[in-house]
C-alpha cells in the first residue's frame, strides 16, 4: 500500500481507525510475502493410457504420468478425480458420496480409450485423458480435455487448468451469485468470495457468494458440472457458434484454473428438475425456513433504537401493511461487538421482542465473525483460552480492522470452534431474537483498498487436515453458517432455525439462505438483483432475495416501487433502510407508492400458501422457487436467452419492470396457454406478447390448468384454478402449513380438467380421485 492508500484510509475511517486499517493491510502484505515463492515450475499432462482397474460403477484408468478415477452412481451422477482425488473429504457433500451403480462397468473403448455405460449417462475416457459425458443415445453433452498441472520444482501445491467443450448452441449459467447474469456471457469469472465495498452492480465480479458450479443448457440436454475445489480460481467462458451452411460448429468452451487443491469434478445430467433433485441429493436438501420468514421483512442499516423499531412496526400496522420481521443490523450491538446489546438504545430488548411477537413480528439479529481483540473482553478471553481464533504461520493471532475495531476471527474450519460458536447463540435467543443473518463473513475487513480478506498465509484447522487461508477462504462463510445452524438446532430442537448468510459456497443451502448483499441503488442494481436470485437457485440455494431499494443512495419513488414489486415475488422479501439514505418504508415515497406497495403486499400475503408449498417442495426435490423461464422447456433457444422474467414454481410467470419510465413490456412465453392474472386475457405460447405494466403492478401470468393454494375469502386455505386449455388437463401440488417445527408434511395433488365446458377440480390420491375438500375459485373461463 502506498502513501495515497494510507491517506485515503484515514479520510474514510478517521485518523485512529485509518492508521489501524493501514497497519492491517501492511501486516497482511508482509504475512503473504512469507508464503513460499512458486519459483520454477514443471508442467505435466497425463500422458497415454497404460491400463485400467475396473470397480463397481467405473474404475481407475492409469496413464503414463497420472491416474483417473471415474464412478457413476445409480442416479446417473458422474464423479471423476485425478491423481488419487476422492469424493471425500468435501465441504460440499451432505454426507457420504452416492453409492456407485454396480451395473455400470468400465470396459475398453475404441482407439485405446475406456468407457462406462449406464442407464442415464455414458462416460468415455480417451487414451490421452479426455473425459466425455454423453446421453444414453450417444450425443455429447460435455468433453473435458486432458488437464495440465504446474508443479513447483521446490515443492508445494500444484496449480492446474482444465478446458472443456460443450455444444455450440449451449448457454452458461450458475457460478454462484453473479450480478451479470443469469446467462453468463463470454468472460472471466473469479472464484473468490469478495466484499464489493458497500455496493455492486452488473459489472462487478466476484461478489460474496461464488461457487465452481457450471450450469449448462443446450439442445442435447442440461448438465451441471461442479469442480469440488475451494481454492482461488478463475473460470473463462466462451459461447460457441453454429456453422452456417456447410460450415463447422465452433463449440463453446469452459476453462477452469485453480491455484491449488484437488482436480475432481461431479457432473449431473438430465432435465432441469432431475438435475436439481440429484444436486440436492449430493450436497444436501435446502433448509426449510419457518413460515413467518416467507412474509415481508424490514431491516435498517446503522444506528437506531427501540423507539425506531416501534415506529416502523406501528407505521406498517396503521397503514394496513403486513410485516413479519424486523432485522437489527450491527448498530444494535454495544460498540458493534457481537453477542452484546447497546443498553442505552435498547434498555429492554427481551421485552421489546415479546411486545412485537404479540403483534406477529419477529426480531432478527445481525451476527458477524469479528471478535474485538481487547484484553478483558469476555468473548475474546473465552475464545483465546479455547484457541479458537485464526493464527498466522508463527502461531500469533491474525488481527484485522472491522466494525468493533481491531478484531480476531474464529476458525470455523475447526469442529470444536464451530461447537463453541454455535453455543454463543443462546445469548441471541435469550434476547428474544427469532433468527440471525450472518454479515461481513467473507470474511471482510474495513479497508478501502486491496482485497477484504484475511492473509492468505493464515493457518486453519481444515477439520484436522491443516492448511492456509487460500484453501479455507471460500468456505469460511459456509462453515460459519454451519456453526450457527447447528447451534440453533441444539438450543431450540423443536424449532426450525432461521438463518441466512452473505457469504457461502456449495452446500450452503443445508443451513439456510442468502441475500444479494450490497447491490447498488439504481436500475442496473435492480436488474442485478434478479440475476443473483436466479443464479443462486440454479446452484442449489433456493431461499434468497435482494435488499429492496439497494444498499446506497436514495431511490426515486418509481425505482423503489418497481424494486418492491419484484421483491414481493421472490422468496426472501426484505426492505432495508440504507446507512446514508434515511428511511425506506413505502409511505416515505408518497401516497401513490404507498397504495401500490399495499397492493403488492396484499397479493404476496394472498399467495403465502403457495410460497409455503414451494418451500416444502424445494426441500423435497431441490427445485428452486424462482426458476428461469426455460425450466420446463430447456430446448427452447429463445427462452434460454430470456433474462428479464422468471417462473415462480410451475404455475406463475412474473415479468418485473426493470427499466425506468416503462408502462408496457414484452414478455416471452413458454409453450402452452397463459392467462394475464390482472385482465384474465389468454395468450398462446411459445411466442412473445406485449402487456400493460402500469405503475401499480407488473405483468404476472398463470399457466392454464394451474391449481394454486391461496388464502381464501374467509382467511383459510383455498384453491385458485386457471381453466385448462381445451383438450388439455392441469394440476398443482399443495403442502399445508404444519407449524415451524419438524412435523412431517403431506403433498396433496390436485388435477383440473374441462368437462362439457365446465372446469372440474379433483384431489388425486392412491385410491383414486375425490372432491377437493377446499373452496375453489375458477378463473380464466
Amino acid at each position: 500500500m502506498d502513501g495515497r492508500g494510507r491517506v485515503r484510509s484515514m479520510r474514510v475511517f478517521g485518523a485512529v481507525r485509518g492508521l489501524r486499517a493501514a497497519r492491517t493491510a501492511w501486516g497482511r502484505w508482509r504475512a503473504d510475502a512469507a508464503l513460499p515463492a512458486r519459483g520454477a515450475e514443471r508442467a505435466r499432462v497425463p500422458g497415454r493410457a497404460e491400463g485400467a482397474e475396473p470397480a463397481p460403477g467405473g474404475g481407475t484408468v492409469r496413464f503414463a504420468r497420472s491416474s483417473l478415477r471415474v464412478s457413476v452412481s445409480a442416479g446417473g451422477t458422474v464423479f471423476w478425480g485425478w491423481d488419487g482425488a476422492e469424493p471425500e473429504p468435501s465441504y460440499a457433500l451432505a454426507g457420504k458420496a452416492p453409492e456407485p451403480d454396480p451395473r455400470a462397468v468400465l470396459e475398453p473403448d475404441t482407439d485405446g480409450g475406456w468407457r462406462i455405460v449406464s442407464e442415464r449417462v455414458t462416460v468415455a475416457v480417451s487414451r490421452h485423458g479426455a473425459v466425455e459425458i454423453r446421453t444414453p443415445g450417444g450425443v455429447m453433452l460435455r468433453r473435458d480435455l486432458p488437464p495440465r498441472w504446474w508443479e513447483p520444482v521446490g515443492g508445494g501445491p500444484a496449480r492446474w487448468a482444465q478446458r472443456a467443450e460443450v455444444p455450440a448452441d449451449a448457454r452458461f449459467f450458475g457460478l454462484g451469485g453473479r450480478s451479470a447474469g443469469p446467462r453468463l456471457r463470454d468472460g472471466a469469472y473469479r472464484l473468490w468470495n469478495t466484499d464489493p465495498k458497500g455496493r455492486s452492480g452488473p459489472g462487478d465480479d466476484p461478489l460474496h457468494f461464488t461457487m465452481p458450479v457450471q450450469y449448462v443448457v443446450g439442445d442435447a440436454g442440461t448438465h451441471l458440472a461442479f469442480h469440488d475445489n475451494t481454492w482461488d480460481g478463475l473460470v473463462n467462458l466462451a459461447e460457441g457458434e453454429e456453422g452456417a451452411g456447410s460450415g463447422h460448429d465452433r463449440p463453446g468452451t469452459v476453462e477452469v484454473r485453480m491455484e491449488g487443491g484437488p482436480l475432481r469434478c461431479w457432473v449431473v445430467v438430465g432435465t432441469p428438475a432431475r438435475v436439481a433433485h440429484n444436486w440436492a441429493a449430493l450436497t444436501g436438501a435446502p433448509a426449510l425456513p419457518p413460515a413467518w420468514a416467507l412474509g415481508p421483512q424490514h431491516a435498517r442499516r446503522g444506528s437506531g433504537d427501540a423507539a425506531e423499531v416501534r415506529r416502523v412496526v406501528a407505521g406498517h400496522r396503521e397503514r394496513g401493511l403486513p410485516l413479519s420481521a424486523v432485522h437489527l443490523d450491527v448498530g444494535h450491538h454495544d460498540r458493534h461487538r457481537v453477542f452484546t446489546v447497546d443498553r442505552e438504545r435498547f434498555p429492554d430488548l427481551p421485552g421489546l421482542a415479546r411486545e412485537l411477537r404479540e403483534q406477529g413480528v419477529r426480531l432478527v439479529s445481525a451476527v458477524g465473525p469479528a471478535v474485538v481483540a481487547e484484553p478483558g473482553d469476555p468473548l475474546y478471553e473465552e475464545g483465546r483460552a479455547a484457541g479458537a481464533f485464526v493464527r498466522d504461520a508463527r502461531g500469533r493471532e491474525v488481527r484485522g480492522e472491522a466494525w468493533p475495531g481491531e478484531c480476531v476471527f474464529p476458525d470455523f474450519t475447526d469442529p470444536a470452534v464451530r461447537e463453541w460458536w454455535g453455543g454463543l447463540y443462546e445469548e441471541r435467543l435469550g434476547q428474544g431474537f427469532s433468527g440471525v443473518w450472518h454479515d461481513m463473513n467473507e470474511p471482510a475487513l474495513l479497508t478501502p483498498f486491496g482485497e477484504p480478506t484475511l492473509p492468505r498465509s493464515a493457518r486453519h484447522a481444515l477439520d484436522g487436515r491443516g492448511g492456509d487461508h487460500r484453501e479455507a477462504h471460500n468456505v469460511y462463510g459456509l462453515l460459519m453458517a454451519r456453526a450457527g445452524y447447528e447451534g440453533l438446532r441444539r438450543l431450540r430442537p423443536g424449532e426450525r432455525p432461521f438463518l441466512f448468510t452473505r457469504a457461502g459456497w456449495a452446500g450452503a443451502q443445508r443451513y439456510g439462505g442468502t441475500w444479494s448483499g450490497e447491490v447498488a441503488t439504481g436500475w442496473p442494481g435492480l436488474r442485478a438483483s434478479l440475476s443473483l436470485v436466479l443464479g443462486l437457485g440454479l446452484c442449489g440455494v433456493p431461499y434468497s432475495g435482494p435488499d429492496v431499494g439497494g444498499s446506497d443512495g436514495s431511490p426515486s419513488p418509481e425505482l423503489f416501487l418497481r424494486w418492491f414489486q419484484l421483491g414481493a415475488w421472490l422468496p426472501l422479501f426484505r426492505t432495508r433502510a440504507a446507512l446514508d439514505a434515511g428511511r425506506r418504508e413505502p409511505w416515505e415515497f408518497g401516497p401513490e407508492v404507498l397504495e401500490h406497495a399495499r397492493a403488492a403486499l396484499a397479493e404476496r400475503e394472498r399467495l403465502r400458501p403457495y410460497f409455503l408449498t414451494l418451500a416444502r417442495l424445494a426441500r423435497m426435490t431441490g427445485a428452486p422457487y424462482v426458476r428461469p423461464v426455460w425450466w420446463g422447456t430447456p430446448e427452447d433457444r429463445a427462452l434460454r436467452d430470456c433474462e428479464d422474467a422468471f417462473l415462480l414454481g410451475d404455475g406463475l410467470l412474473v415479468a418485473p419492470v426493470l427499466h425506468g419510465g416503462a408502462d408496457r413490456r414484452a414478455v416471452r412465453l413458454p409453450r402452452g396457454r397463459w392467462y394475464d392474472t390482472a385482465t384474465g386475457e389468454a395468450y398462446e405460447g411459445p411466442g412473445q406478447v406485449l402487456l400493460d405494466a402500469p405503475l401499480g403492478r407488473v405483468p404476472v401470468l398463470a399457466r392454464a390448468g394451474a391449481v394454486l393454494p391461496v388464502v381464501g375469502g374467509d382467511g383459510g386455505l383455498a384453491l385458485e384454478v386457471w381453466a385448462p386449455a381445451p383438450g388439455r388437463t392441469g394440476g398443482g401440488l399443495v403442502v399445508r402449513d404444519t407449524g415451524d417445527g419438524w412435523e412431517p408434511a403431506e403433498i396433496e395433488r390436485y388435477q383440473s380438467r374441462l368437462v362439457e365446458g365446465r372446469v372440474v377440480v379433483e384431489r388425486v390420491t392412491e385410491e383414486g380421485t375425490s372432491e377437493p375438500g377446499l373452496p375453489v375459485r375458477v378463473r380464466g373461463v
Side-chain angles (χ1 to χ4, degrees):
M1 181 185 61
D2 58 15
R4 290 182 180 178
R6 294 188 181 93
V7 171
R8 183 184 176 204
S9 171
M10 287 184 277
R11 285 177 178 172
V12 173
F13 298 114
V16 175
R17 298 195 73 179
L19 285 172
R20 286 206 303 255
R23 186 178 65 189
T24 294
W26 178 256
R28 176 178 164 277
W29 179 84
R30 288 186 61 190
D32 286 348
L35 284 170
R38 296 197 67 88
E41 294 180 316
R42 180 173 45 244
R44 175 169 62 90
V45 294
R48 289 180 64 97
E50 296 181 341
E53 292 101 33
T60 300
V61 181
R62 290 180 285 103
F63 295 84
R65 290 176 292 277
S66 189
S67 64
L68 172 69
R69 178 189 170 188
V70 186
S71 178
V72 180
S73 74
T77 298
V78 179
F79 170 82
W80 50 257
W82 286 95
D83 287 348
E86 298 287 336
E88 303 167 42
S90 169
Y91 287 117
L93 270 59
K96 295 291 184 181
E99 291 294 324
D101 185 353
R103 300 168 298 175
V105 179
L106 182 68
E107 57 188 21
D109 200 1
T110 58
D111 197 25
W114 299 81
R115 68 178 181 178
I116 304 169
V117 179
S118 72
E119 182 181 1
R120 300 187 184 278
V121 67
T122 296
V123 183
V125 180
S126 78
R127 62 178 177 175
H128 293 294
V131 180
E132 188 167 303
I133 308 296
R134 304 171 185 162
T135 67
V139 180
M140 191 269 286
L141 294 174
R142 179 185 189 89
R143 186 169 189 263
D144 285 274
L145 303 177
R148 182 182 293 267
W149 294 266
W150 289 268
E151 299 167 331
V153 174
R159 58 190 180 95
W160 55 262
Q162 181 155 46
R163 189 169 179 266
E165 295 178 347
V166 298
D169 63 278
R171 295 291 180 261
F172 299 110
F173 303 84
L175 296 182
R178 304 286 169 169
S179 57
R183 173 185 161 195
L184 301 178
R185 263 63 174 191
D186 296 0
Y189 300 86
R190 192 177 176 194
L191 300 169
W192 188 257
N193 291 351
T194 303
D195 174 15
K197 299 295 183 185
R199 57 190 59 84
S200 64
D204 293 303
D205 185 89
L207 296 180
H208 312 277
F209 212 115
T210 67
M211 290 190 227
V213 178
Q214 308 157 34
Y215 203 104
V216 186
V217 185
D219 289 353
T222 300
H223 75 270
L224 179 153
F226 167 53
H227 284 84
D228 193 351
N229 183 308
T230 66
W231 285 61
D232 190 0
L234 197 68
V235 179
N236 286 283
L237 301 178
E239 292 181 350
E241 183 177 352
E242 293 182 292
S246 60
H248 294 290
D249 287 354
R250 177 174 61 81
T253 61
V254 183
E255 185 184 59
V256 179
R257 289 180 171 267
M258 289 291 186
E259 293 302 308
L263 174 44
R264 56 184 180 178
C265 184
W266 293 90
V267 180
V268 185
V269 303
T271 64
R274 179 173 290 278
V275 168
H277 184 268
N278 287 346
W279 178 239
L282 185 68
T283 61
L288 184 64
W292 59 263
L294 295 170
Q297 305 173 50
H298 180 76
R300 180 177 176 80
R301 290 186 63 179
S303 61
D305 55 19
E308 173 69 8
V309 173
R310 289 187 174 96
R311 182 197 68 82
V312 169
V313 174
H316 280 79
R317 186 175 64 253
E318 292 165 2
R319 294 168 177 84
L321 305 176
L323 183 66
S324 291
V326 173
H327 297 207
L328 302 185
D329 208 334
V330 292
H332 83 279
H333 295 304
D334 179 18
R335 292 169 291 169
H336 295 97
R337 300 182 184 205
V338 67
F339 302 119
T340 65
V341 175
D342 186 331
R343 299 296 179 184
E344 291 186 5
R345 292 186 292 119
F346 293 91
D348 182 16
L349 192 52
L352 175 65
R354 287 192 298 270
E355 173 190 328
L356 298 183
R357 188 74 173 262
E358 292 173 356
Q359 302 175 49
V361 179
R362 270 79 170 179
L363 284 181
V364 176
S365 171
V367 173
V371 175
V372 65
E374 183 178 293
D377 179 83
L379 184 57
Y380 173 62
E381 295 293 351
E382 184 181 339
R384 184 166 66 169
F389 303 123
V390 176
R391 296 181 177 273
D392 64 17
R394 298 182 181 180
R396 300 171 301 186
E397 292 173 348
V398 174
R399 299 191 176 194
E401 188 71 13
W403 284 112
E406 189 174 44
C407 293
V408 291
F409 298 84
D411 182 7
F412 295 115
T413 71
D414 186 331
V417 174
R418 291 198 295 267
E419 185 173 1
W420 167 70
W421 186 266
L424 298 175
Y425 288 74
E426 185 174 12
E427 183 275 339
R428 294 289 87 183
L429 297 177
Q431 296 292 346
F433 288 107
S434 298
V436 295
W437 55 294
H438 287 171
D439 203 356
M440 304 287 286
N441 61 336
E442 289 76 22
L445 306 181
L446 294 182
T447 56
F449 40 80
E451 290 183 334
T453 180
L454 299 180
R456 291 172 174 249
S457 57
R459 303 299 299 173
H460 290 267
L462 290 169
D463 287 84
R465 292 180 292 109
D468 59 42
H469 197 65
R470 293 174 296 177
E471 185 176 357
H473 173 82
N474 281 333
V475 294
Y476 191 87
L478 167 75
L479 296 176
M480 182 184 179
R482 177 179 176 179
Y485 183 85
E486 292 177 349
L488 290 169
R489 283 206 63 172
R490 289 194 303 269
L491 294 166
R492 294 278 177 87
E495 296 180 11
R496 299 198 300 270
F498 176 60
L499 183 150
F500 62 104
T501 176
R502 190 170 81 171
W505 201 66
Q509 73 277 359
R510 301 192 295 265
Y511 313 118
T514 184
W515 90 105
S516 58
E518 317 299 330
V519 175
T521 297
W523 293 99
L526 170 59
R527 293 190 291 275
S529 296
L530 178 56
S531 298
L532 287 159
V533 173
L534 283 167
L536 287 163
L538 290 175
C539 291
V541 184
Y543 182 80
S544 70
D547 282 336
V548 168
S551 66
D552 65 312
S554 300
S556 67
E558 181 192 10
L559 173 60
F560 176 82
L561 179 59
R562 292 307 194 187
W563 215 317
F564 194 93
Q565 290 167 335
L566 169 63
W569 294 97
L570 299 179
L572 172 60
F573 180 21
R574 184 173 87 155
T575 54
R576 188 179 185 189
L579 187 65
D580 56 351
R583 295 167 175 168
R584 284 270 184 90
E585 293 80 45
W587 57 87
E588 302 290 346
F589 294 87
E592 185 179 16
V593 169
L594 174 60
E595 177 187 352
H596 298 324
R598 183 183 291 113
L601 282 171
E603 185 65 2
R604 169 78 177 217
E605 289 298 288
R606 192 180 73 88
L607 286 167
R608 181 81 75 94
Y610 187 50
F611 278 92
L612 287 166
T613 294
L614 294 178
R616 288 281 186 176
L617 294 177
R619 180 162 180 82
M620 295 174 181
T621 69
Y625 315 27
V626 171
R627 310 164 186 177
V629 291
W630 48 258
W631 182 262
T633 52
E635 67 279 3
D636 188 328
R637 296 189 178 188
L639 291 180
R640 296 206 293 261
D641 295 338
C642 178
E643 303 178 273
D644 60 356
F646 60 90
L647 297 175
L648 183 64
D650 286 330
L652 296 175
L653 189 156
V654 182
V657 174
L658 306 177
H659 301 275
D663 58 6
R664 303 193 81 193
R665 62 150 296 174
V667 181
R668 184 162 292 281
L669 302 177
R671 66 186 178 209
R673 174 172 293 183
W674 296 85
Y675 294 97
D676 186 328
T677 58
T679 66
E681 188 170 351
Y683 300 93
E684 297 293 334
Q688 184 168 280
V689 296
L690 189 64
L691 299 180
D692 290 333
L695 194 60
R697 62 178 175 85
V698 298
V700 178
L701 298 106
R703 190 189 301 271
V707 179
L708 307 177
V710 299
V711 176
D714 61 353
L717 182 64
L719 300 178
E720 181 171 271
V721 182
W722 291 87
R728 304 294 297 272
T729 60
L733 305 176
V734 177
V735 183
R736 305 195 189 208
D737 184 13
T738 57
D740 291 337
W742 302 97
E743 299 82 358
E746 178 187 359
I747 296 179
E748 300 176 11
R749 302 178 184 274
Y750 296 88
Q751 70 176 15
S752 61
R753 54 195 178 94
L754 280 175
V755 178
E756 298 179 352
R758 183 173 63 90
V759 176
V760 175
V761 181
E762 299 167 312
R763 181 174 179 181
V764 181
T765 64
E766 294 180 355
E767 289 75 29
T769 60
S770 61
E771 293 292 321
L774 291 170
V776 175
R777 180 192 180 193
V778 176
R779 301 186 65 184
V781 177

